[in-house]
């Protein structure tokens, strides 16, 4: 099994462009990419960022061939396309791991799981947990996976047909240090 894993991070096309007038790439994918680059786990994550408003629409059948992990974020106006991408990814590539997050999915993990068929939804910021989360999703299946996912703070996932949500600590130590990820 290869120690190199391909990760594609997608910001879906918005229905009316971001903020209705211009396409603005958000920095979340850059931060997650940086976090995976500095992660010291069993895998090396080869990362690609796909911003549909600039790169064009992704064809999940062709463009996700050979991809191990798909990460999708969404604002409310991007959610229908985000869910479509994730569903099609699972349809065409049943073994692909799908992770959702962002302002729409984080507070509504049930919606994201139902419409997008995601394996996991990250609640709030994810740079501090993304390496561990990817490792767990690649290394474990079934009940074993659920046991390990339950130990990762700030995520939602399915167990026995219900969405489980792990908690993050509260207080001043709950926030991710802004210098946690080194960006170019």
């Amino acid at each position: 099994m290869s120690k190199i894993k391909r990760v594609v991070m997608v910001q879906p096309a918005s229905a009316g462009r971001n903020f209705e007038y211009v396409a603005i790439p958000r920095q979340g994918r850059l931060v997650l990419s940086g976090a995976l680059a500095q992660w010291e786990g069993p895998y090396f994550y080869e990362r690609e960022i796909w911003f549909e408003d600039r790169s064009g629409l992704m064809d999940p059948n062709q463009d996700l061939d050979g991809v191990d992990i798909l990460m999708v974020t969404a604002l409310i106006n991007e959610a229908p396309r985000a869910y479509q991408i994730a569903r099609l990814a699972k349809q065409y590539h049943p073994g692909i791991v799908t992770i959702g997050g962002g302002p729409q999915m984080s507070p509504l993990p049930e919606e994201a799981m139902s419409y997008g068929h995601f394996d996991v939804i990250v609640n709030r910021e994810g740079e501090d947990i993304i390496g561990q989360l990817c490792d767990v999703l690649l290394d474990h299946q079934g009940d074993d996976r659920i046991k390990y996912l339950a130990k990762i703070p700030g995520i939602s996932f399915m167990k026995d047909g219900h969405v489980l949500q792990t908690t993050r600590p509260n207080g001043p130590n709950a926030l991710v240090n802004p210098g946690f990820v080194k960006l170019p």
Side-chain angles (χ1 to χ4, degrees):
M1 181 166 81
S2 175
K3 293 293 183 179
I4 299 173
K5 300 299 177 185
R6 287 189 59 211
V7 178
V8 173
M9 303 173 188
V10 179
Q11 180 176 325
S14 57
R17 311 289 278 170
N18 288 320
F19 306 104
E20 302 306 319
Y21 300 106
V22 296
I24 300 172
R26 294 183 305 280
Q27 294 183 352
R29 273 130 333 278
L30 292 173
V31 173
L32 289 175
S33 178
L36 281 176
Q38 71 187 36
W39 175 249
E40 295 180 10
Y43 302 106
F44 172 78
Y45 291 102
E46 184 179 274
R47 302 149 336 271
E48 176 185 349
I49 296 173
W50 193 301
F51 178 49
E52 282 196 324
D53 281 332
R54 297 253 171 102
S55 303
L57 296 181
M58 169 181 279
D59 177 347
N61 186 19
Q62 293 180 0
D63 296 325
L64 295 175
D65 191 37
V67 171
D68 299 291
I69 300 174
L70 172 66
M71 296 182 191
V72 184
T73 185
L75 296 172
I76 191 167
N77 60 334
E78 300 161 347
R81 176 67 181 150
Y83 300 154
Q84 179 187 41
I85 292 168
R87 275 193 318 272
L88 290 173
K90 287 286 191 187
Q91 177 183 327
Y92 294 124
H93 310 282
I96 197 169
V97 170
T98 55
I99 301 172
Q104 177 67 20
M105 291 185 234
S106 289
L108 300 169
E110 294 87 358
E111 175 187 285
M113 295 283 193
S114 176
Y115 292 107
H117 305 213
F118 289 94
D119 293 303
V120 171
I121 301 299
V122 174
N123 306 319
R124 299 186 353 195
E125 288 76 21
E127 59 267 28
D128 58 333
I129 62 166
I130 198 64
Q132 177 188 13
L133 178 59
C134 289
D135 291 352
V136 165
L137 290 168
L138 291 171
D139 286 343
H140 302 283
Q141 298 295 320
D143 288 340
D144 190 44
R145 178 185 273 182
I146 290 170
K147 178 177 76 173
Y148 282 94
L149 287 175
K151 296 176 185 179
I152 300 175
I155 62 171
S156 299
F157 57 94
M158 297 295 289
K159 179 182 179 190
D160 301 327
H162 301 285
V163 175
L164 291 184
Q165 189 167 2
T166 63
T167 58
R168 284 194 179 256
N170 290 321
N173 295 329
L175 300 176
V176 178
N177 179 328
F180 182 79
V181 175
K182 295 169 186 72
L183 294 176

